Amino acid sequence: MNILNAQFPSSNRLVDDYVNQRMGMQTFFPYTPYDQASYQARLSYLQRRPLPHREQLAEGLLAYNQAIGNHPDALARIHSLRQENAVVVIAGQQAGVLTGPLYTIHKAIHLIQAAKQLEEEHGVPVVPVFWIAGEDHDWEEINHLFLPAGEGLKKCRLDLAKTGKTSASMMPLDLDACRAFLASFFDGMTETEHTAALRRLAEETAAAADNVADWFARIMVSLFGKHGLVFVESSLPFVRELERPVFEQIIQQNEELGSLLLRADEQIKQNGYEPQLAIEENQAHFFLYEEGQRLLLERKQDRFMTKDGRYRYSREQLLTMLETDPARFSANVVTRPLMQEHLFPTLAFIGGPGEVAYWAYFAEVFSHFGYQLPIVLPRMSITLVEGAITRYLQQLDLPATQVLHGFAGWKEAWLKQIKTDSQAEHLLARFAQTKQELLHQYQPLVQDVIAFDQGLAELAEKNTVRLLEQVDFLQQKIEQSLRNRHEVTLTRMQRVEQALLPEGRWQERVYSYFVFANKYGPELIDQLVAAPFSPGPAHHIVSL
């Protein structure tokens, strides 16, 4: 497995400035992600900060991870979290079908590698925790996968009877719908020695799962449990019980929360960056479940209501509900980080470019609620390059890095070149010239033959035509060779683009892990977990 490092994939200037630690970033992030001193300072802070619910947290994690069938090595990591000096590195993701796009897998790999490295460097237990965002209700975002098909993509969609804003953790699985989805997905790939086992894994985990989030968790456990990865799901009763004090603060100090976010938004703009979140003054920044629907609340003066105004609550009503039924409350993109910081002794949070960008809003929010922003570590990004694609790149004399950064320009220049192929133009021009010269030299001979014997006139004319046809035949062969040469190159280009930059998007945002596991087997995960990825801000191009 060969690894080449390329430019970190971000089109966001704020993220680029943070990754490259340009001046002014400490305004938004108190720590730097690749500085050992930051990790030591954060550890010192965590040792001073009490975590009274540590035992309750470990018990809840243990019960959940046992329920989803996690590996004994992961359960052992949970037990290590009981130690007073134990910390976590944490990342989260929505519960996409069959684990969703590859970047979900990359987050898990990064968690495992970062925990191991930090534990060795600092001599304290570091537990990798994957937060499943099971309360997400954007079904259209997580219900499908893509397969390469011809020159494009095939979309495989899981069709479940979803109504309204039902969370993934509340959506029961229809096994018939799952079988239809899996048939469409696996039938869309070439069958290999690994296909049957992968399909069996998908079917068995679906049969054992209670809902969409549970299915995701069981597949992830089968892939990463033996590497010690611990899972938590956002809607678990013990999680909501532990989050109760933070929700109480959010309800009571909702105006202050809104003001801090508006101030952060203004500060981001003043520093020359585009807004990273859509912040509005009346946002309450949490959801409430009503009749199984996860509804976002807004604040109007001293009251809270849903956007359509159907449900209205006083502050006192919400606090009473929180006391009697905390499971009805759910955090949003702004308040989920607060919950995470309250629940876990977080050494570092690993996030994708979008997550890093919106965490720039939270430093003062954390401080106001009595916390400190953890180290925000940009997640590992990977492009997997199969052997055939490596050969095509070599034949095209095209570096993989150029495909990821600047392929459109390279392709445009190549297409322009074949339109003005000087060698081909010169050769084809010579055929036209040669035919003229042949006629010029041969025609006098034909006239002499006809003068000698009038009966040979028709034969002489046919002979002239045949002579020119032979030249035309060779010209056609050259033209066909030229077309074939470009068709082969075009085919190679199309396959490279489809593999590494499908429809102009990075591979890790389109394809599923199962596409590659079908070719390289389930041990591909183990190879990637063990791969020597550099810890710095780079995109890793992995030749399989």
Side-chain angles (χ1 to χ4, degrees):
M1 184 177 285
N2 183 50
I3 301 173
L4 173 69
N5 290 339
Q7 181 183 338
F8 184 80
S10 173
S11 57
N12 186 311
R13 192 166 64 85
L14 189 153
V15 177
D16 287 339
D17 286 354
Y18 176 63
V19 166
N20 294 293
Q21 284 305 292
R22 295 194 175 97
M23 292 293 292
M25 279 297 105
Q26 285 197 328
T27 301
F28 308 109
F29 301 97
Y31 296 112
T32 54
Y34 308 111
D35 179 11
Q36 285 300 312
S38 286
Y39 289 89
Q40 196 55 58
R42 177 66 179 176
L43 281 170
S44 296
Y45 164 78
L46 291 173
Q47 300 313 321
R48 297 192 305 270
R49 192 188 100 183
L51 194 70
H53 58 262
R54 184 182 288 270
E55 189 64 28
Q56 191 177 350
L57 173 64
E59 285 297 324
L61 290 173
L62 186 62
Y64 174 65
N65 281 266
Q66 286 174 331
I68 59 176
N70 210 345
H71 194 276
D73 287 355
L75 303 184
R77 300 302 292 159
I78 295 172
H79 285 298
S80 72
L81 190 57
R82 300 177 194 273
Q83 300 177 41
E84 288 299 317
N85 64 340
V87 296
V88 308
V89 288
I90 192 165
Q93 192 58 47
Q94 299 157 296
V97 294
L98 290 186
T99 72
L102 273 165
Y103 60 73
T104 301
I105 299 298
H106 301 164
K107 275 186 178 178
I109 293 169
H110 197 171
L111 279 171
I112 294 163
Q113 289 197 351
K116 181 180 179 181
Q117 178 188 344
L118 291 168
E119 187 165 290
E120 291 173 353
E121 290 173 348
H122 298 282
V124 298
V126 182
V127 181
V129 176
F130 193 102
W131 179 295
I132 301 170
E135 292 180 282
D136 194 283
H137 58 255
D138 190 349
W139 176 236
E140 293 303 317
E141 189 171 327
I142 65 173
N143 68 359
H144 61 274
L145 293 174
F146 291 101
L147 288 173
E151 296 179 9
L153 298 175
K154 173 188 176 182
K155 185 176 183 179
C156 301
R157 186 179 187 276
L158 173 60
D159 289 314
L160 295 180
K162 179 183 183 292
T163 56
K165 299 181 181 298
T166 305
S167 296
S169 57
M170 294 183 179
M171 283 189 66
L173 285 177
D174 179 332
L175 289 182
D176 288 337
C178 287
R179 292 188 190 101
F181 163 74
L182 293 174
S184 172
F185 181 75
F186 284 102
D187 290 350
M189 297 189 291
T190 302
E191 185 161 355
T192 69
E193 60 184 307
H194 308 297
T195 306
L198 290 169
R199 190 165 184 167
R200 187 164 54 251
L201 166 66
E203 290 173 347
E204 290 177 353
T205 49
D210 293 328
N211 52 61
V212 170
D214 194 21
W215 189 20
F216 172 88
R218 290 175 184 275
I219 296 177
M220 290 290 285
V221 157
S222 72
L223 300 178
F224 293 106
K226 64 182 174 180
H227 297 291
L229 188 59
V230 174
F231 292 86
V232 64
E233 197 270 297
S234 61
S235 70
L236 293 171
F238 92 90
V239 169
R240 193 65 79 245
E241 184 62 36
L242 292 178
E243 289 174 344
R244 191 204 304 254
V246 186
F247 273 115
E248 183 177 347
Q249 284 183 286
I250 290 167
I251 294 168
Q252 289 180 333
Q253 302 176 44
N254 205 260
E255 290 83 356
E256 292 89 334
L257 171 62
S259 296
L260 288 168
L261 289 166
L262 287 170
R263 189 161 73 191
D265 191 59
E266 186 59 35
Q267 194 172 37
I268 284 169
K269 294 174 186 174
Q270 287 175 358
N271 279 268
Y273 300 111
E274 292 294 321
Q276 309 298 315
L277 288 172
I279 301 296
E280 298 175 7
E281 189 173 2
N282 64 338
Q283 293 169 322
H285 300 292
F286 65 94
F287 295 85
L288 193 71
Y289 283 100
E290 285 286 2
E291 300 176 1
Q293 301 293 297
R294 184 174 180 246
L295 306 177
L296 187 63
L297 295 188
E298 296 179 343
R299 185 188 66 256
K300 298 287 180 69
Q301 296 178 341
D302 199 39
R303 297 189 66 81
F304 297 79
M305 63 190 68
T306 55
K307 282 196 172 186
D308 60 6
R310 180 181 176 189
Y311 298 99
R312 297 169 178 266
Y313 318 89
S314 69
R315 202 179 304 260
E316 290 70 25
Q317 284 176 310
L318 289 175
L319 292 171
T320 300
M321 274 190 269
L322 179 64
E323 183 65 30
T324 58
D325 193 4
R328 291 183 63 185
F329 290 79
S330 177
N332 81 334
V333 66
V334 165
T335 48
R336 192 203 72 81
L338 279 173
M339 302 301 174
Q340 177 181 290
E341 182 64 17
H342 171 75
L343 285 170
F344 292 95
T346 304
L347 176 57
F349 164 72
I350 295 176
E355 292 170 301
V356 171
Y358 68 66
W359 272 64
Y361 282 76
F362 299 154
E364 287 193 32
V365 171
F366 271 53
S367 179
H368 177 81
F369 285 90
Y371 305 107
Q372 184 190 80
L373 205 69
I375 296 166
V376 178
L377 182 60
R379 80 159 163 81
M380 172 188 299
S381 61
I382 301 171
T383 292
L384 302 176
V385 185
E386 300 179 62
I389 301 302
T390 298
R391 290 193 297 274
Y392 293 150
L393 290 169
Q394 292 168 347
Q395 291 160 349
L396 293 167
D397 193 24
L398 174 63
T401 52
Q402 190 158 9
V403 178
L404 302 179
H405 298 287
F407 181 70
W410 183 91
K411 185 176 180 180
E412 182 181 356
W414 185 86
L415 291 171
K416 184 183 292 185
Q417 179 185 339
I418 68 170
K419 289 178 182 177
T420 57
D421 191 320
S422 58
Q423 182 183 6
E425 282 187 350
H426 176 67
L427 193 57
L428 292 172
R430 285 184 60 193
F431 276 100
Q433 180 184 349
T434 299
K435 283 190 285 187
Q436 290 296 324
E437 291 173 353
L438 279 172
L439 281 173
H440 180 72
Q441 294 181 20
Y442 196 62
Q443 198 63 34
L445 177 60
V446 169
Q447 295 302 320
D448 289 346
V449 167
I450 294 172
F452 178 77
D453 185 347
Q454 187 67 33
L456 295 175
E458 185 178 351
L459 179 62
E461 292 294 341
K462 286 182 178 179
N463 186 257
T464 303
V465 171
R466 285 175 182 169
L467 182 64
L468 294 175
E469 283 177 347
Q470 289 301 310
V471 178
D472 285 338
F473 176 77
L474 185 57
Q475 179 178 343
Q476 289 165 9
K477 289 295 182 183
I478 292 295
E479 290 173 343
Q480 183 63 47
S481 174
L482 181 63
R483 285 195 299 272
N484 289 346
R485 184 190 307 175
H486 291 326
E487 284 173 6
V488 168
T489 303
L490 279 167
T491 298
R492 290 171 181 164
M493 285 171 53
Q494 287 164 355
R495 291 182 180 175
V496 165
E497 188 171 13
Q498 184 187 53
L500 307 187
L501 205 66
E503 296 190 349
R505 293 182 288 168
W506 286 59
Q507 177 198 85
E508 65 178 12
R509 305 198 70 83
V510 177
Y511 294 134
S512 161
Y513 156 76
F514 280 79
V515 172
F516 293 90
N518 186 57
K519 296 180 181 179
Y520 298 95
E523 62 271 16
L524 176 61
I525 284 289
D526 305 329
Q527 294 168 4
L528 291 171
V529 168
F533 295 116
S534 64
H539 179 78
H540 308 289
I541 301 172
V542 178
S543 298
L544 299 175

